């Protein structure tokens, strides 16, 4: 075990001049504060994703804590990452389950079918991890160059745009409050600095919630927030677990998300490597395997699929603390939050308008993250190959072009992802022939 985990040592020095390394640790109180900070950083997205799929946010928070700790052990404490609910699953889960109440907090009647699909995705993702451990990452980078990953990330946001807006359509008050939420989050993102800026989802959500309360509960506009369920809820209790149901069609729709998670995780690990100055490439296969096992476990109890969180990478960039022990503390804190039905009742009081506003911001940020991949990797769009791969993928994904194979429906995101991979491979034959 001594080789699996690094030789931990206490940190000495000034964070301003030398960051805290992955194998170093701070005094207990400082570590605890940093851990709680990471839990808050993931909170907005980890709660929002299950809400949009009709999953239980309490269970999602609970499993994010367990999966983060599992990831720590499976990677030997060498990769600083928090695992939370992945937005990549939202479009495919909605397609596979026919869920029509996205953003309302209503439970998904076909949650078991989605859970089976998420488990299939986790197993496929774990297999990618084992392959990378055996062969390295070159084949992934060849299979999914930046033009492909950028387009696939972009369509996750664009595919969900109609679902998001539909949540408030026809209700002028809710539409205005959704825009107020967007303004709150945007203001936090633009006018603040440091950690406050990194917590834009959480702080923006709280600010919009306060404004909604003043406008509806105090001034009498719109539907007031009902706080009765909070008073009735117990302080402590286990979230509700759900058994998976293995439907082949749902599994075919959801499993391809593994490709998106691979691209996402690879990007995150490269970013952390660049920030820490440590070579984390040898850990990439283990990170994929750990995230795949975590996603399988999460789906097995009826929770959303997991992914490493960019929000927490942002927090590390601000604090310059890369100690992996901090993420174990964050995981333990999340488990305690997930074990409180009262906390879950508070989450369920978030109005639809605010959830829609938050979704507009999140899906917009996901879409732009795809464009950012193109810019940072200097994708050359003067080449017709890149132009065609990106153009076709985006329209297929945005238009929800769902291919049917007999009884099997791939879904818009699945079809677009496969189209990106196949077109990139096919058009690359020209480069090889020259």
């Amino acid at each position: 075990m001594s080789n699996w985990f690094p030789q931990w040592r206490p940190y000495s020095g000034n964070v301003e001049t030398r960051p805290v390394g992955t194998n170093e640790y701070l005094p207990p109180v400082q570590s605890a504060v940093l851990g709680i900070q990471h839990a808050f950083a993931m909170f907005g997205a980890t709660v929002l994703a299950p809400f949009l799929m009709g999953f239980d946010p309490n269970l999602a928070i609970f499993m994010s804590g367990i999966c983060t700790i599992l990831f720590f052990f499976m990677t030997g404490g060498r990769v600083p990452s928090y695992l939370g609910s992945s937005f990549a699953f939202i479009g495919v889960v909605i397609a596979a389950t026919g869920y029509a109440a996205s953003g309302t907090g209503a439970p998904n009647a076909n949650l078991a079918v989605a859970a089976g699909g998420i488990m299939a995705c986790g197993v496929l993702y774990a297999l990618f991890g084992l392959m990378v451990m055996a062969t390295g990452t070159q084949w992934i980078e060849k299979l999914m160059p930046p033009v492909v990953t950028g387009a696939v990330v972009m369509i996750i946001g664009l595919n969900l745009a109609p679902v998001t807006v539909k949540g408030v359509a026809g209700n002028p008050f809710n539409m205005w409050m959704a825009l107020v939420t967007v303004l709150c989050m945007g203001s936090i993102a633009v006018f603040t600095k440091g950690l406050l800026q990194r917590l834009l989802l959480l702080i923006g959500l709280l600010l919009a919630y306060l404004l909604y309360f003043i406008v509806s509960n105090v001034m009498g506009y719109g539907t007031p927030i009902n706080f009765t369920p909070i008073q009735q809820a117990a302080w402590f209790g286990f979230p509700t677990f759900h058994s998976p149901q293995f439907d082949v069609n749902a599994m075919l729709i959801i499993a391809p998300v593994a490709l998106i998670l691979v691209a996402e995780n690879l990007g995150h690990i490269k970013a952390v490597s660049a920030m820490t100055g440590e070579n984390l490439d040898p850990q990439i296969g283990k990170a994929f395997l750990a995230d795949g096992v975590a996603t399988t476990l999460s789906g097995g109890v009826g929770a959303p699929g997991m992914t490493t969180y960019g929000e927490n990478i942002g927090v590390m960039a601000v604090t310059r603390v890369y100690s992996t022990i901090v993420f174990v503390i964050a995981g333990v804190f999340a488990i305690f939050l997930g074990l409180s039905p009262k906390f879950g009742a508070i989450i369920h009081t978030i109005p639809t308008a605010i959830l829609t506003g938050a979704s507009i911001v999140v899906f917009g940020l996901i879409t732009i993250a795809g464009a950012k991949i193109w810019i940072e990797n200097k994708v050359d769009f003067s080449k017709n190959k890149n132009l065609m791969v990106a153009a076709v993928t985006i329209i297929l994904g945005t238009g929800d072009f769902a291919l049917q194979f007999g009884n099997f429906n791939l879904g818009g995101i699945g079809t677009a992802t496969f189209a990106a991979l196949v077109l990139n491979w096919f058009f690359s034959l020209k480069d090889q022939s020259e």
Side-chain angles (χ1 to χ4, degrees), residues 120-144:
C121 176
V123 170
L124 182 60
Y125 189 7
L127 289 174
F128 282 143
L130 291 170
M131 286 167 70
V132 168
M133 287 169 78
T135 62
T137 58
Q138 278 186 322
W139 62 275
I140 287 179
E141 289 166 7
K142 195 171 181 182
L143 179 73
M144 300 183 73

Side-chain angles (χ1 to χ4, degrees), residues 4-5 63-84 125 265-266 268-269 272 280 283-295 297 306-309 316 324 327-328:
W4 186 257
F5 289 98
M63 288 308 297
S64 80
I66 287 176
C67 290
T68 297
I69 294 168
L70 175 71
F71 183 90
F72 171 86
F73 282 105
M74 288 189 69
T75 57
R78 294 173 190 271
V79 182
S81 281
Y82 191 93
L83 266 59
Y125 189 7
N265 203 342
L266 186 65
H268 287 167
I269 291 172
V272 174
L280 294 178
Q283 314 303 327
I284 290 172
K286 282 194 280 187
F288 287 177
L289 176 62
D291 201 358
V293 171
T295 294
L297 176 66
M306 294 288 153
T307 189
T308 51
Y309 258 29
M316 285 191 280
T324 52
F327 289 92
V328 176

Side-chain angles (χ1 to χ4, degrees), residues 19 24 60 81 178 203 213 222 234 242 283 363 389 396 407 414:
E24 295 178 311
S81 281
I203 306 298
F213 173 79
H242 301 271
Q283 314 303 327
F363 300 151
V389 169
L396 288 178
N407 294 325

Side-chain angles (χ1 to χ4, degrees), residues 346-407:
I346 293 169
I347 296 170
H348 277 283
T349 63
I350 302 172
T352 302
I354 293 177
L355 287 169
T356 298
S359 304
I360 291 168
V361 171
V362 169
F363 300 151
L365 289 173
I366 292 170
T367 304
I368 298 306
K372 197 164 165 251
I373 290 170
W374 290 341
I375 293 164
E376 286 177 350
N377 291 281
K378 298 182 173 63
V379 174
D380 185 0
F381 282 112
S382 66
K383 290 184 178 176
N384 282 347
K385 179 192 117 177
N386 290 340
L387 208 56
M388 288 303 294
V389 169
V392 173
T393 303
I394 287 169
I395 296 303
L396 288 178
T398 307
D400 205 24
F401 190 99
L403 265 188
Q404 194 91 14
F405 295 96
N407 294 325

Side-chain angles (χ1 to χ4, degrees), residues 46-373:
T46 295
V47 164
L48 189 60
F51 246 122
L52 297 173
M53 293 184 278
F55 284 59
D56 177 6
N58 251 45
L59 182 58
I61 291 277
F62 178 74
M63 288 308 297
S64 80
I66 287 176
C67 290
T68 297
I69 294 168
L70 175 71
F71 183 90
F72 171 86
F73 282 105
M74 288 189 69
T75 57
R78 294 173 190 271
V79 182
S81 281
Y82 191 93
L83 266 59
S85 311
S86 171
F87 282 94
F89 286 94
I90 298 171
V92 290
V93 164
I94 289 171
T97 60
Y99 181 61
S102 184
T104 64
N108 189 330
N110 295 316
L111 193 151
V113 170
I118 289 167
M119 286 188 78
C121 176
V123 170
L124 182 60
Y125 189 7
L127 289 174
F128 282 143
L130 291 170
M131 286 167 70
V132 168
M133 287 169 78
T135 62
T137 58
Q138 278 186 322
W139 62 275
I140 287 179
E141 289 166 7
K142 195 171 181 182
L143 179 73
M144 300 183 73
V147 66
V148 170
T149 53
V152 169
V153 169
M154 194 176 273
I155 60 168
I156 296 169
L158 292 173
N159 180 270
L160 292 162
V163 178
T164 309
V165 175
K166 197 170 70 179
V168 290
N171 186 322
F173 175 79
N174 278 356
M175 291 181 83
W176 280 109
M177 285 311 300
L179 290 178
V180 167
T181 305
V182 170
L183 189 62
C184 288
M185 291 184 174
S187 299
I188 300 291
V190 174
F191 296 115
T192 63
K193 289 181 180 177
L195 190 64
L196 195 63
Q197 193 178 58
R198 297 292 176 188
L199 299 177
L200 71 96
L201 269 185
L202 177 64
I203 306 298
L205 207 64
L206 291 172
L207 187 58
Y209 190 94
L210 177 65
L211 290 172
Y212 188 99
F213 173 79
I214 292 167
V215 174
S216 64
N217 291 56
V218 178
M219 296 169 67
Y221 296 99
T223 307
I225 300 168
N226 178 17
F227 294 104
T228 311
I230 300 173
Q231 295 164 347
Q232 294 170 344
W235 279 102
F236 179 83
F238 279 94
T240 307
F241 298 105
H242 301 271
S243 299
Q245 183 181 325
F246 299 102
D247 176 88
V248 177
N249 194 32
M251 288 160 74
L252 278 176
I253 292 174
I254 297 171
V257 170
L259 291 164
I260 299 164
L261 299 179
V262 162
E264 202 171 47
N265 203 342
L266 186 65
H268 287 167
I269 291 172
K270 297 275 189 190
V272 174
S273 283
M275 288 192 300
T276 59
E278 297 177 30
N279 180 21
L280 294 178
D281 282 5
Q283 314 303 327
I284 290 172
K286 282 194 280 187
F288 287 177
L289 176 62
D291 201 358
V293 171
T295 294
T296 308
L297 176 66
S298 188
V301 297
M306 294 288 153
T307 189
T308 51
Y309 258 29
E311 288 90 336
N312 296 86
I313 292 171
V315 171
M316 285 191 280
V318 171
T319 60
R320 290 169 59 84
V321 176
Y322 303 104
S323 171
T324 52
I325 289 175
V326 165
F327 289 92
V328 176
I329 297 166
V332 170
F333 184 70
I335 290 168
F336 278 112
L337 285 179
L339 289 172
S340 175
K342 197 170 280 290
F343 172 71
I346 293 169
I347 296 170
H348 277 283
T349 63
I350 302 172
T352 302
I354 293 177
L355 287 169
T356 298
S359 304
I360 291 168
V361 171
V362 169
F363 300 151
L365 289 173
I366 292 170
T367 304
I368 298 306
K372 197 164 165 251
I373 290 170

